[in-house]
Amino acid sequence: MGSVTRKPLIAGNWKMNLDHLQAVAFVQKLHWTLKDAGHEHDTVEVAVFPPFTDIRTVQTLIDADKIPFALGGQDLSTKDSGAYTGEISGAFLKKLDAGYVIIGHSERREYHHESDADVAAKVQAALRHDLVPVICVGETLEQREESGPTAVSVEQLKVALEGVPADADVVVAYEPVWAIGTGQVASPEQAQEVCSALRAVVAASLGDEAAARTRILYGGSVKSGNIASFMREPDVDGALVGGASLIAEEFAAIVRYQKHVGV
Ligand code: 13P
């Protein structure tokens, strides 16, 4: 399960930031910053996860200007259509060329009381619509102190992968809750320890082949100054970036982590 060819993925979770007009300016700026720097998109994949109300606009821009960014939603409904006020179907995301959808972010688990079972149902909904679920797991500080660094994430991922076929394309994001938006970043060794345990869960649930090709991201206070140290770890295949994904130059520098000294 060592280093196979997993294309690194740098994903920007905008959360509830940037309206659709700001999104246009931001995506253009990010595109030109990367282009000017000579970024080769076949080396590192870039994905943006705007708010729902921006997605149509961002899709149009990406399409018109041939911008090689993947697009994703920040959540989706467990249902496909019907009387579910306020919900967004995976079918709608797919229609807008979204390739990915974030599922089970800790902010949704905390503020919207999403359970592991809800997360599992959303993973199934994503797969029904041919979207790659970015399954987020991670422990709070209290949970880490109580049950160690890996137990919570391992259990969350086990449930999320129940019923997922072995050939399904999924992405896993390890985001320790205590490192999100706090500036208190996990160490590369801490990230590696959990990401490696998560790869073992993928192996047990979906098989060795799936474990070898599934990308596992780290998220939590990722910046241009620390990304390279995470990417050196064998089981970290990219990053899910919050705050730093809203600043074009900073996010571009994260995408271009291979250019940083020592990598
Ligand atoms: P920050 O990068 O702002 O810590 O957020 C991480 C995150 O939650 C990405 O989904």
Side-chain angles (χ1 to χ4, degrees):
M1 278 191 276
S3 61
V4 287
T5 50
R6 293 188 291 268
K7 185 172 180 177
L9 172 61
I10 302 293
N13 175 11
W14 297 1
K15 308 191 179 184
M16 197 170 71
N17 295 291
L18 303 182
D19 63 34
H20 72 289
L21 298 174
Q22 294 168 318
V24 170
F26 175 82
V27 169
Q28 282 174 330
K29 187 166 182 186
L30 179 63
H31 174 50
W32 284 105
T33 306
L34 286 168
K35 206 166 178 158
D36 285 350
H39 178 66
E40 287 162 22
H41 283 274
D42 50 354
T43 59
V44 176
E45 182 178 357
V46 179
V48 291
F49 292 80
F52 289 132
T53 49
D54 298 8
I55 292 182
R56 173 68 168 142
T57 307
V58 173
Q59 178 226 6
T60 305
L61 176 64
I62 283 176
D63 200 37
D65 290 1
K66 299 193 172 31
I67 297 175
F69 298 170
L71 185 58
Q74 296 177 13
D75 182 35
L76 86 173
S77 175
T78 58
K79 306 291 196 300
D80 296 339
S81 68
Y84 302 102
T85 301
E87 292 291 284
I88 298 290
S89 167
F92 305 163
L93 294 173
K94 191 67 191 175
K95 260 262 154 69
L96 294 176
D97 294 337
Y100 294 98
V101 61
I102 294 172
I103 295 176
H105 192 282
S106 63
E107 287 150 15
R108 296 218 51 97
R109 291 179 190 260
E110 182 181 353
Y111 306 136
H112 300 271
H113 312 293
E114 286 190 9
S115 66
D116 289 351
D118 296 330
V119 170
K122 290 185 176 197
V123 169
Q124 292 298 324
L127 296 176
R128 277 200 302 280
H129 297 290
D130 197 23
L131 294 161
V132 175
V134 179
I135 303 167
C136 298
V137 299
E139 81 290 357
T140 62
L141 205 50
E142 299 80 67
Q143 289 170 326
R144 176 171 269 260
E145 278 157 11
E146 235 170 66
S147 51
T150 58
V152 168
S153 298
V154 160
E155 180 57 24
Q156 288 175 339
L157 186 59
K158 270 188 193 162
V159 178
L161 292 179
E162 272 169 24
V164 170
D167 62 353
D169 208 358
V170 304
V171 171
V172 178
Y174 169 53
E175 299 206 305
V177 178
W178 47 271
I180 295 177
T182 58
Q184 193 195 338
V185 69
S187 71
E189 295 74 22
Q190 285 174 319
Q192 168 58 25
E193 182 180 16
V194 181
C195 289
S196 140
L198 294 174
R199 198 173 302 285
V201 173
V202 179
S205 303
L206 308 183
D208 287 346
E209 196 275 324
R213 74 178 147 74
T214 295
R215 290 174 297 178
I216 302 181
L217 316 181
Y218 167 75
S221 299
V222 169
K223 311 249 175 313
S224 60
N226 59 31
I227 179 70
S229 62
F230 289 108
M231 296 306 289
R232 266 186 223 116
E233 298 295 338
D235 287 300
V236 178
D237 306 312
L240 185 54
V241 187
S245 79
L246 301 169
I247 307 156
E249 295 87 351
E250 175 68 4
F251 191 60
I254 293 171
V255 170
R256 288 178 52 72
Y257 70 91
Q258 288 165 329
K259 305 294 166 198
H260 300 191
V261 182
V263 178

